[in-house]
Amino acid sequence: MLKNTQLSFVKLRVPKSLWVLAIFSFFLGMQVQAQDEKTVSGTVTDAATGTPIPGANVIVRGTTSGTVTDFDGLYQIEVSDQDVLVFSYVGFRTQEVQVGAQTTIDVSLTEDFTQLDEVTITGIGYGTVERREVTSAVASVDSDEFNTGNINDPAQLLQGKVAGLSIARPGGDPNGGYNIRLRGLSTFGANAQPLVVIDGVLGGSLQSIDPNDIKSIEVLKDASAAAIYGTRGSSGVILVTTKRATGVDNARVEYNTYFAMESVAQFVENSTPQEFIEAGGQDQGYETNWLDLVTRTGVTNVHNLALSNSIKSGHYRASVNYRDVEGVAVGSGFDQFNARFNLVQRAINDKLTLTINGAITKRKASFIPYEAQRFAIIADPTAPIYIDGDPANGYWEPTTPEYHNPYAISQETTDDGIFSTLLGTIKADYKLTDNLSVAGFYSLQHESDQRSQYYSSKMRFSSAAGQGGRAEKEAEDRENELFELTANYEKYFGDVKFSLLGGYSWQEFTFTNFDAFNTNFITDDLLYNALELGLGSATGNDALVGLNSQKEESRLISYFGRAMLNWKDKFFMSASYRREGSSKFGENEKWGNFYAVSGGLDFAQLFDIPFSSLKLRAGYGVTGNLPEENYEYRVRLSRGSRSQFNNQWIQGVNFASNPNPDLKWEEKAETNIGLDFGMLNSRLYGSIDVYSRNSTDILSVLSVPQPPNFYDETLVNVGELESTGVEVTLNGALVQSRKVNYTTGITFSTFNTKLVRFNGETQRTFRGNLGPPGLNGIQPILLEEGRVIGDIVAPIFEGLAEDGSRIITDQNGDGTISQEDDAVVVGNGLPDFELSWNNSLTVGKFDLSATFRGAFGHSLVNINRAYYESPLASQNYNPVRTKYYLPELTQGESWNSYYVEKADFFKLDNVTVGYNIDLKSDVIKNFRVYASGQNLFVITGYTGVDPEVHYDWFGDPLAPGIDDRTSYFRSRTVSLGLNVTF
């Protein structure tokens, strides 16, 4: 047993014997041949209609060997006389057949409405169970339910598919990440995104996997499901399972490709040259459409090739993916190559199973500052691109220093990144007895990011002109090493199925980075200044040259277990426990305990009621969260400013933190009550969940006196949040026939998060910032203990006076208007509820899928309007001119309730129409063409770039609802694609 004080230093290495065993088992398994095998073939049909069922599973019971039926319901499989074949398909009753002497086995499956709402096997973390045994809030999404079209990020696959899971990315930046929130906000001092587990790799990177390689995704929504992951389960868990080979002797080649075109769907409305002049702007004699200059129609090409095969003793799958993506902003986009390999090999009479996974991803990305789009909205439309219209004279720049030539930014900024991810895993499972198995798992994930930037001296942006050009270089490496041992026991005791899991986990994270910049380059035409930092001539002054580097490590050690029981598929119980230690905490609080208990009772199995399934679930669990910083419990030093002494530059050193031996985990306690239902003799099914949770000891930075402290801030456990919500999923397989199949589903969710305690000092404060110049320092988001998160506050706008000035309500009657004294709540940045509507229709060889999604009840702070929607803006800018424009207004920039807008929206997220062409070829098994559209329409009254929920403000989750001026434009995409299977 490790002592608490040793946690930061002890490092467990994987025994060499495990590697030897794995390699030996692999080659041994390649030699093991099944005996007395024969080929069995047949047809799987619908008992009611006699029509073939394509895609039905045919599995050898007790193994992972199997196949799927083709378009005509035909199958072929290698088996022995002693084998039992299991035939299954979603929505039909499973059927088992003893092979015996038969060589042809035809099976007719009957409909089973209890299965319509169930994925037969569901991941729950460290294992799988039948869907009926799940007692927690767990959602499963299979690959045939994923969103389709121009999908370049795995997060897009789930948008609108899971009640309570919010996935948003305001704007259409191809290099921008998605903000993923499960059941709202559970922390404001640690990671608010769910833990991602990819094929068993905790903390796996979604960038290491191509969307085409994902088979299914499970979402562990409540604490009773996520507690098995302990410290990182507070924000939920997303389990990703990649595709594997299926069938026996089923060699398969798949090729998928699509071509997409992306255009800007929404600009911020501004003034034409004539309107600019009429508002008082000075006519410089040109007509320049700056928005056209910095945007384009983005073109995307995607190719995916996968090869797979399966034999009795194992299977493999290999895939390569290439993506060439252009963003709608000139200069933005990426090229990405991804390769993945999976091998499963069985040996020793199928007692030993060895699984090896490998993946590599390399992305070359091009970035462009968002300011190019921001300034294109407000740039003088009568100004030239170049001084006097001649490129030889250099770029035109406005007289005001508050914005710069947007075209110059798009042309004279070089910002490239190379992002690489390498992942390797190996797992050995050994079945000691029919009831007991043990497993060892090892993974290593390495991520490397490089970013190179150069700002030319030909433009004024980023002070490059005054600095003679500016080059920056950043490099960062992250390593995630994981080793786990688990044991699983499962046995029936009469009518009770009992399952037991026990395990040990060791994980280490290593982080290194380096960044530097230099200025004053002799020319902008060097090979690539961002890689030639030494060519800059600036020295000594921190504002002109800089260098930083660091290396950090952290470690987690865990012991965990789970017990489950199932009595006659009527009553279910589950309990889990995880004890975890982290090197991120002080000596007094290194270890934490996380646990859960849940149960379910299926009334449809107990009573004669008109339900095929009516399972009541209840669960309670405690999960934790870690700080993002590694050494906040101890004293740290940081680089200070430089100063000159005796004609030499001397580097200063500052304190960066105070010691805190009592720094510990955040904890979230959550209660969830749910109901899963399926109507008898009906194709309607779904679930309802109600939850309540309380997050305590939330990490927060407090101001402290100096001295006696070394530093003026300390990270402590002081915050508290309370959340409640309701989630509803309702699905219907409304039409099921030989020619026509139609399924539809609705998800509905609410969440409400209240701040109980913030920092132990102030009960009321403000967050966010409208930004410079004139409105700088105005914070529009109220944060007060006892109130919900996200309240937007502003002085009330009553209208215009006769002289065109604004009439603002003086709340306290002191004769002056201020944000602190006169602002009242005028909206909230978080929605009251979110809704999605998913549809899938098949008519003969045609197929159609469509996903609609909306958020309702949230508001957005429209900073563009607050600054630029006034005729007086024409003195320096091109005025913004939305439907709220007031031509009689005689005042400039201002902050009041007029610039807070309701941002409810309902959009067509994805729609795809496909057609399967029967080529009557023995080589080509499937040939499908399709057309897709994304964001084809958005119904909203919001006048800004994108009405999507803005869950944070520059990373601050306590300041939602701010639509900053620096935003990427929302885009619309249409694509044509092809799926071919050989």
Side-chain angles (χ1 to χ4, degrees):
M1 178 72 68
L2 294 175
K3 295 182 179 179
N4 293 356
T5 56
Q6 295 177 322
L7 186 64
S8 302
F9 309 103
V10 176
K11 185 172 182 179
L12 177 64
R13 293 296 180 187
V14 179
K16 293 183 178 179
S17 57
L18 179 61
W19 295 105
V20 174
L21 175 62
I23 296 172
F24 173 75
S25 300
F26 171 72
F27 287 107
L28 176 63
M30 295 296 287
Q31 306 301 320
V32 176
Q33 302 295 323
Q35 298 178 357
D36 302 323
E37 289 185 349
K38 64 181 180 182
T39 301
V40 170
S41 60
T43 305
V44 180
T45 58
D46 183 336
T49 64
T51 57
I53 300 177
N57 295 308
V58 185
I59 306 294
V60 178
R61 190 175 68 183
T63 75
T64 56
S65 298
T67 187
V68 293
T69 57
D70 63 13
F71 187 78
D72 297 315
L74 300 173
Y75 75 92
Q76 182 175 298
I77 189 170
E78 297 294 321
V79 294
S80 62
D81 292 348
Q82 294 76 32
D83 287 334
V84 175
L85 291 179
V86 181
F87 298 84
S88 64
Y89 189 70
V90 175
F92 290 82
R93 295 185 185 277
T94 298
Q95 192 173 142
E96 297 185 359
V97 178
Q98 176 74 49
V99 174
Q102 303 176 85
T103 57
T104 300
I105 301 177
D106 295 327
V107 171
S108 296
L109 300 181
T110 58
E111 279 190 297
D112 181 4
F113 299 111
T114 64
Q115 294 298 315
L116 286 172
D117 63 335
E118 300 184 356
V119 177
T120 304
I121 298 297
T122 299
I124 57 171
Y126 296 104
T128 57
V129 297
E130 294 185 17
R131 180 70 186 176
R132 63 172 60 91
E133 297 178 305
V134 174
T135 55
S136 302
V138 178
S140 301
V141 184
D142 203 54
S143 58
D144 59 0
E145 301 172 291
F146 289 159
N147 288 319
T148 55
N150 186 24
I151 304 294
N152 292 306
D153 190 303
Q156 292 175 269
L157 300 173
L158 290 177
Q159 274 189 305
K161 300 298 182 179
V162 178
L165 183 66
S166 304
I167 300 174
R169 184 187 68 181
D173 185 1
N175 293 307
Y178 282 81
N179 201 321
I180 305 175
R181 290 284 177 81
L182 185 59
R183 295 184 164 182
L185 185 66
S186 60
T187 180
F188 52 80
N191 184 18
Q193 304 262 79
L195 170 70
V196 175
V197 181
I198 302 176
D199 288 336
V201 180
L202 278 68
S205 170
L206 286 176
Q207 299 305 318
S208 72
I209 186 170
D210 191 272
N212 280 308
D213 289 330
I214 298 177
K215 177 182 180 295
S216 64
I217 299 176
E218 276 78 38
V219 182
L220 311 186
K221 297 198 288 185
D222 71 334
S224 67
I228 193 68
Y229 288 106
T231 60
R232 289 161 294 173
S234 281
S235 299
V237 181
I238 295 177
L239 306 178
V240 179
T241 302
T242 58
K243 292 179 179 178
R244 302 285 190 265
T246 59
V248 176
D249 291 331
N250 183 26
R252 186 181 181 94
V253 178
E254 298 171 282
Y255 174 67
N256 303 292
T257 184
Y258 69 81
F259 169 82
M261 299 183 69
E262 187 174 9
S263 59
V264 176
Q266 176 69 35
F267 287 117
V268 174
E269 299 174 81
N270 59 7
S271 300
T272 65
Q274 184 62 34
E275 290 172 334
F276 171 77
I277 296 170
E278 291 175 354
Q282 182 179 355
D283 185 4
Q284 299 194 49
Y286 295 83
E287 289 192 2
T288 304
N289 191 324
W290 297 101
L291 290 170
D292 278 353
L293 289 172
V294 299
T295 60
R296 64 185 176 188
T297 297
V299 176
T300 293
N301 289 280
V302 174
H303 302 274
N304 166 255
L305 180 66
L307 300 88
S308 61
N309 198 2
S310 184
I311 58 176
K312 182 94 178 199
S313 60
H315 54 79
Y316 71 85
R317 184 181 189 273
S319 65
V320 291
N321 307 276
Y322 175 73
R323 296 177 178 272
D324 181 7
V325 179
E326 289 182 348
V328 295
V330 172
S332 66
F334 67 84
D335 291 335
Q336 178 172 293
F337 172 81
N338 171 275
R340 178 169 289 270
F341 177 76
N342 165 257
L343 172 67
V344 177
Q345 183 65 50
R346 291 181 293 277
I348 315 178
N349 297 323
D350 287 345
K351 290 185 176 180
L352 176 67
T353 301
L354 182 70
T355 304
I356 298 175
N357 288 299
I360 183 172
T361 302
K362 186 172 185 178
R363 172 182 289 202
K364 295 181 178 179
S366 297
F367 302 85
I368 201 71
Y370 285 4
E371 284 82 0
Q373 297 168 75
R374 168 188 168 185
F375 296 153
I377 297 170
I378 61 173
D380 185 342
T382 70
I385 301 173
Y386 304 98
I387 297 174
D388 297 328
D390 186 354
N393 295 331
Y395 291 101
W396 167 86
E397 292 287 354
T399 55
T400 175
E402 302 305 331
Y403 79 93
H404 312 282
N405 187 316
Y407 182 71
I409 296 173
S410 69
Q411 299 299 307
E412 301 297 334
T413 300
T414 302
D415 188 350
D416 295 333
I418 300 177
F419 308 101
S420 303
T421 302
L422 182 64
L423 173 66
T425 73
I426 181 171
K427 183 178 182 181
D429 289 272
Y430 191 80
K431 196 171 184 179
L432 295 174
T433 70
D434 290 341
N435 309 111
L436 179 63
S437 63
V438 294
F441 179 80
Y442 177 79
S443 70
L444 180 63
Q445 177 178 279
H446 184 87
E447 298 174 272
S448 178
D449 301 344
Q450 297 183 37
R451 189 90 175 255
S452 302
Q453 300 165 309
Y454 185 70
Y455 302 96
S456 166
S457 63
K458 297 175 183 177
M459 63 175 178
R460 192 174 69 182
F461 176 68
S462 190
S463 302
Q467 295 180 352
R470 179 185 177 95
E472 300 179 9
K473 177 74 175 179
E474 303 172 31
E476 182 175 303
D477 288 275
R478 300 176 300 278
E479 194 167 273
N480 174 357
E481 189 176 10
L482 173 67
F483 175 70
E484 293 185 324
L485 293 171
T486 56
N488 282 277
Y489 178 82
E490 183 176 303
K491 188 175 181 178
Y492 279 89
F493 296 92
D495 294 328
V496 177
K497 176 185 175 183
F498 179 73
S499 304
L500 187 65
L501 163 74
Y504 166 82
S505 178
W506 173 93
Q507 192 166 19
E508 184 175 74
F509 303 89
T510 304
F511 164 85
T512 59
N513 79 328
F514 172 87
D515 65 87
F517 72 89
N518 205 348
T519 56
N520 289 335
F521 290 85
I522 58 175
T523 175
D524 289 315
D525 298 322
L526 299 174
L527 176 64
Y528 186 16
N529 286 325
L531 297 179
E532 300 285 349
L533 291 180
L535 294 176
S537 58
T539 59
N541 188 333
D542 281 342
L544 300 177
V545 63
L547 178 67
N548 297 282
S549 67
Q550 66 186 72
K551 178 180 180 179
E552 297 184 1
E553 292 182 348
S554 67
R555 192 168 299 116
L556 284 168
I557 294 176
S558 311
Y559 307 90
F560 56 90
R562 179 175 58 218
M564 302 181 67
L565 65 85
N566 173 355
W567 177 64
K568 291 185 176 182
D569 288 337
K570 299 177 181 179
F571 177 72
F572 311 91
M573 281 287 295
S574 177
S576 66
Y577 172 78
R578 187 174 184 119
R579 178 166 172 78
E580 195 151 37
S582 171
S583 63
K584 290 189 174 185
F585 296 117
E587 296 299 322
N588 301 334
E589 299 287 350
K590 284 193 179 294
W591 291 86
N593 300 294
F594 309 97
Y595 50 89
V597 61
S598 61
L601 183 63
D602 193 344
F603 291 96
Q605 303 298 318
L606 293 173
F607 307 106
D608 184 15
I609 54 178
F611 288 87
S612 57
S613 173
L614 189 62
K615 183 174 65 177
L616 179 66
R617 297 178 279 104
Y620 175 83
V622 176
T623 54
N625 217 332
L626 292 163
E628 297 189 46
E629 301 84 359
N630 290 318
Y631 305 120
E632 286 299 308
Y633 68 92
R634 59 183 300 179
V635 176
R636 294 184 298 112
L637 299 178
S638 65
R639 185 174 71 93
S641 60
R642 294 183 177 186
S643 59
Q644 250 188 348
F645 181 75
N646 289 337
N647 295 323
Q648 291 184 333
W649 288 100
I650 305 299
Q651 178 63 58
V653 177
N654 297 329
F655 286 105
S657 65
N658 297 309
N660 183 4
D662 297 318
L663 189 67
K664 63 179 182 179
W665 324 87
E666 295 184 354
E667 285 193 358
K668 184 193 74 176
E670 182 173 10
T671 300
N672 189 98
I673 299 175
L675 181 69
D676 300 328
F677 59 88
M679 305 298 293
L680 190 63
N681 298 324
S682 170
R683 295 182 173 92
L684 295 177
Y685 56 97
S687 64
I688 301 173
D689 282 277
V690 179
Y691 65 87
S692 175
R693 62 189 188 185
N694 183 248
S695 299
T696 57
D697 292 326
I698 293 179
L699 296 160
S700 183
V701 175
L702 294 188
S703 298
V704 294
Q706 185 185 19
N709 294 282
F710 299 117
Y711 190 58
D712 60 2
E713 293 181 339
T714 299
L715 183 67
V716 297
N717 300 91
V718 69
E720 184 176 352
L721 292 171
E722 287 183 357
S723 301
T724 57
V726 177
E727 297 164 355
V728 179
T729 300
L730 179 62
N731 299 305
L734 302 185
V735 180
Q736 299 286 301
S737 67
R738 181 176 182 180
K739 290 293 186 180
V740 180
N741 292 274
Y742 174 58
T743 61
T744 186
I746 294 175
T747 68
F748 170 88
S749 61
T750 71
F751 62 85
N752 184 288
T753 303
K754 182 173 69 174
L755 179 68
V756 178
R757 183 176 170 86
F758 177 47
N759 60 13
E761 294 181 330
T762 57
Q763 293 184 340
R764 177 184 171 98
T765 185
F766 298 90
R767 309 285 278 206
N769 190 353
L770 298 184
L775 304 180
N776 192 33
I778 294 179
Q779 298 177 294
I781 308 301
L782 173 64
L783 195 64
E784 185 174 9
E785 293 182 358
R787 299 188 66 92
V788 296
I789 299 294
D791 276 343
I792 301 172
V793 291
I796 296 296
F797 172 77
E798 298 181 7
L800 295 181
E802 293 184 2
D803 62 356
S805 62
R806 299 182 181 92
I807 302 174
I808 306 297
T809 303
D810 185 358
Q811 296 290 341
N812 63 359
D814 65 355
T816 61
I817 302 297
S818 69
Q819 176 73 353
E820 290 75 15
D821 298 328
D822 298 299
V824 297
V825 176
V826 294
N828 191 283
L830 298 175
D832 293 331
F833 67 93
E834 294 178 313
L835 180 73
S836 67
W837 179 29
N838 296 285
N839 298 271
S840 177
L841 173 68
T842 302
V843 180
K845 295 180 180 180
F846 284 95
D847 61 84
L848 181 146
S849 63
T851 297
F852 299 85
R853 181 173 59 86
F856 305 89
H858 67 293
S859 299
L860 287 174
V861 175
N862 194 329
I863 303 181
N864 271 308
R865 288 187 53 227
Y867 258 109
Y868 311 122
E869 194 175 66
S870 166
L872 286 184
S874 61
Q875 297 176 4
N876 292 305
Y877 317 104
N878 185 16
V880 167
R881 194 178 286 259
T882 73
K883 61 184 179 181
Y884 299 111
Y885 181 76
L886 300 173
E888 303 86 3
L889 181 63
T890 56
Q891 294 174 317
E893 60 200 32
S894 173
W895 170 241
N896 56 70
S897 62
Y898 194 60
Y899 305 112
V900 179
E901 298 181 44
K902 297 293 291 183
D904 301 4
F905 71 87
F906 186 72
K907 65 165 63 177
L908 176 58
D909 252 353
N910 286 274
V911 61
T912 299
V913 179
Y915 182 73
N916 288 284
I917 302 175
D918 186 1
L919 298 179
K920 301 188 183 302
S921 168
D922 293 333
V923 177
I924 300 177
K925 301 177 182 178
N926 180 63
F927 191 91
R928 176 177 177 266
V929 294
Y930 67 89
S932 290
Q934 291 173 286
N935 291 323
L936 294 186
F937 69 79
V938 179
I939 301 173
T940 184
Y942 183 62
T943 63
V945 170
D946 198 333
E948 281 279 8
V949 181
H950 291 52
Y951 282 100
D952 57 38
W953 176 77
F954 293 104
D956 183 0
L958 295 177
I962 300 177
D963 188 0
D964 194 76
R965 290 171 293 174
T966 309
S967 300
Y968 198 101
F969 294 138
R970 174 164 55 90
S971 61
R972 178 186 297 116
T973 305
V974 293
S975 57
L976 296 174
L978 174 67
N979 307 127
V980 185
T981 303
F982 302 93

